Amino acid sequence: MRTQSPSSRPTPHSPDPRTTDPTDEDPSPDPRTSAPHSPDPRTSDRQSPAPARGGTWSALRPLVLRLHFHAGLLIAPFLLVAAASGLLYALSFQAEEVVYRNELEAPVGERVLPLAEQVDAARRAHPDATVTAVWPAPEEGATTRVLMTGPQVGEGTSLAVFVDPYTARVRGALPSYGSSGALPLRTWLDELHRDLHLGEPGRLYSELAAAWLWVVTLGGLLLWIGRRRTARRARALLLPEGGPRSRRRTLSWHGSVGLWASAGLLGLSATGLTWSTYAGENIASVRERLGGATPTVSAALGAAPAGGDAHEGHGAHHGPAAPAAGGTDVGVDRAVEAARAVGVDGRIAVTLPTDGKGYVVKETDTQFPVHLDQAAVDPATGEVLDTLRFADHPLLAKLTRFGIDAHTGVLFGLANQLALAALALALVLLVLWGYRMWWLRRPARPVAPGAWRRVPVPLLLPLAAGTALVGWFLPLLGLSLSAFLVVDAARSAVSRRRRRTAGTA
């Protein structure tokens, strides 16, 4: 009979190398199944699990693991709210078409009436309001939007009057917000996602979520890829595992879905920060210094200064339409014809003359490839004052526009909205899986406090400098990370004191 030597005989608690993944990211045993070998809370802080390899990643892994775990645990509620509200917003485009079908659609007639007649119909329906812009019907069966402002219209919002382009009959009026013309349903969900309907203080939540999203995503990506899987097991890196419900299977789903969603989540984080309160100001300043500011078409009449911001909404034009020089105005139809003659065509928006400025006709087709050329027209003569081609925008301005349009779901239309919904759903699941893993491994801790003290000084110094720079550029991230480090240092000091007390006893 063959016998095993003591060194090769498996002990009752030795893992079987044929069934155990040596790189499994679960250093803490389940207290319900491995109680005899659970770490002693008086000594578990002594050191983090020894890395299996040397090098930079082995030194950084405990710090990345601890940051990913605790940042995910504490920031996850903000991410969960942002993801859930973002999911609702992504679905609001299609819901808007159903809820406001009567205002948005009109029976197709024999011919489209001049825009001037449609604008006059809106004026008669709302004599106390002032017309600021016109969005001609973009396709057959759609209505024309006449945007107005007045005493009953809130700041930053326009009153959109929907006019049948075939009969000039007004089909309704609704508040409209932003350059995409969001109606009440989408506006409400947009504000919920942006600031929880709390105004400027509420925007801090979304900025905090966007500032930490890329940190948590990159940390999780590094941890998942750093599992040192062999080619035979590479499939487990991309696809979740099956089998019975366990922390291992939850970790597999968390890592695989996070890997597939990481590029989109990083994009949402970057674009979300562009219009945040504090980080957004720093980003805008950098863009301006790099020559990436969005240019505007010059619509000034005579010596009047050209003005306007690239991001002005329709609600920015509050004054009544000023008469052209000599009291003549060629009218909105002639202005549109002049703009079309120089290539500004397709889906357009027309801003009426005001405050020494002429007509501004802008293309509004944001679906890729975009058509966003602009032209300014003299209201007295109908001549084109200036044109601005999107192709002439600085590269950084183009990238910013693409990123913001993708974040708001208008770059690729329905495909863009479905992609946003999928990303939001993935983020919700990642948060829930993360909490489940934390619940299954309680009360053990993945890495002891003070993991940053184990990073070699030559690596720690540049890491600290880079972190300080990022924290200055993203203030909410810097402040919250500083608070995290203070708490971590305090817990580490308490743990060391307890160990010394226990050793003395």
Side-chain angles (χ1 to χ4, degrees), residues 171-190:
R171 297 184 61 86
L174 294 168
S176 175
Y177 175 81
S179 60
S180 66
L183 298 178
L185 174 62
R186 184 151 57 98
T187 300
W188 192 90
L189 292 174
D190 177 46

Side-chain angles (χ1 to χ4, degrees), residues 104 163 206 357 463:
L104 295 173
V163 182
S206 58
K357 299 178 183 179
L463 180 64

